Amino acid sequence: MTSQPRPDSGRRSLAPRPVIVIAIITGICLLGDSSLYALLPSRLDAFAVTPTGAGLILGINRYIRIVSNTGAGWVVQRIGVAWPLAFAVVLAAATTFAYAAANGFWVLFVAHALWGIAWSFLRLGGYLAAAETGPRASVGRHMGALQSLSRAGSLAAVVLGGLLADLIGVQDTLLLFGALTLGALVLVPLAQIPAGLGKAAPKVAGDKQAMAAGSSPDSTSDRNAMWRIRALYAQAAITWMLVAGLFMGTAGYMVRTVTGDGTTVGGFAIGVGTLSGIVLGIRWVADLGLSPLFGHLSDRLGRPRIILAAMSAAAMAMLTVAISPTLAVAIPMYAIIFAGGTAITVSLNASVAEQAPADRRATVLSRYATWADIGSGSGAAIGLPLVAGAGFGLAYGIGAAIM
């Protein structure tokens, strides 16, 4: 299940073999989770849950990850990536089969909570592969490839999940996705994951700074690096709170508020569900199509420049929507916001991977993932109530000021 990577593998393709294969595995494992987000809200009767229950089911995985990210880092740092990755694939398949068999709240609730654990291992394995299995100068490109390929699974689930559910039924669709996920287990050996990937390296006797008493898990030999890492944690929380939480969470509400049940374009009636899907689909298209480009640019131009430019563009787009919350304005501005979010996320992923000390990279990356989850969970929790109570102008204006 493990092998040594070729030193030049990252120079001959989009990313080294471990990054590509882990990204494909992750994309397949996302089929069940992403289809649940598409199918559950629109087919409450088929799952025998209430709207409130559906909200709790869809949100529990984020809160589980606040704990499971740390656990994943602890495990990987001790036994490496390969076996935890295989465990995550099996767990992801089991949760997808559970979605298919579920009839009521509790089975879905527990299954989606367990998916949060699987996602902690999948995401961390991808981060570590992108950070450690290729040239340091290409980490941004590798992170972009990881994000693009893995999110193809989400896009496939959203597009195919609804179509297959209409053709063969919800249960058979999820059973098919569960079987595909379990089949991804055969790809784990093909990833040629290095035996030491993610493991804590032994302390070097002469490295006095690394062995300094009281050094924290996120510190490096330079104390300033510890504060740089913490700043990246904060940036991740803010970015995910605004892009994945506030704007993703209120895009559908914006469409319904502006158009009611739908609108007419070129003489064709377009329902609110279709319009909402178009707006939300921009996010996945941005991740799929732009992640490698932004990763490459961050390698060439520097992470801070890309982050600053993307934050500025996203903030201006947020402010534009705040001033003129109309559909004609919102759709192109959402495209800029989501593209900016993709650029920031890829650059932050690469930055934290570079700043993390090699012997504690799994711990640092798991904490980084936790702060991103806290941000997205908080944004989702406060976004809709804030928009409903204060209006889009104030809510998005606050988002622009924070960004």
Side-chain angles (χ1 to χ4, degrees), residues 225-312:
M226 178 182 68
W227 291 105
R228 287 196 293 269
I229 290 171
R230 289 176 176 171
L232 292 171
Y233 291 165
Q235 285 179 293
I238 292 170
T239 300
W240 281 87
M241 178 181 68
L242 294 177
V243 177
L246 175 61
F247 292 99
M248 284 288 286
T250 62
Y253 185 77
M254 156 73 81
V255 172
R256 177 169 289 278
T257 300
V258 173
T259 66
D261 291 331
T263 188
T264 302
V265 177
F268 293 95
I270 302 178
V272 65
T274 301
L275 287 170
S276 297
I278 292 172
V279 172
L280 293 174
I282 294 172
R283 167 71 190 282
W284 305 125
V285 171
D287 275 355
L288 186 64
L290 298 179
S291 293
L293 171 62
F294 287 135
H296 176 70
L297 290 175
S298 74
D299 288 333
R300 289 295 187 90
L301 304 178
R303 322 281 183 223
R305 289 182 180 178
I306 297 298
I307 292 172
L308 180 60
M311 282 188 165
S312 300

Side-chain angles (χ1 to χ4, degrees), residues 339-374:
T342 297
I344 296 167
T345 300
V346 171
S347 299
L348 286 176
N349 291 350
S351 295
V352 76
E354 289 176 330
Q355 294 291 335
D359 62 335
R360 301 186 183 95
R361 189 168 281 126
T363 298
V364 171
L365 286 170
S366 65
R367 291 185 177 182
Y368 168 77
T370 297
W371 279 105
D373 287 333
I374 290 172

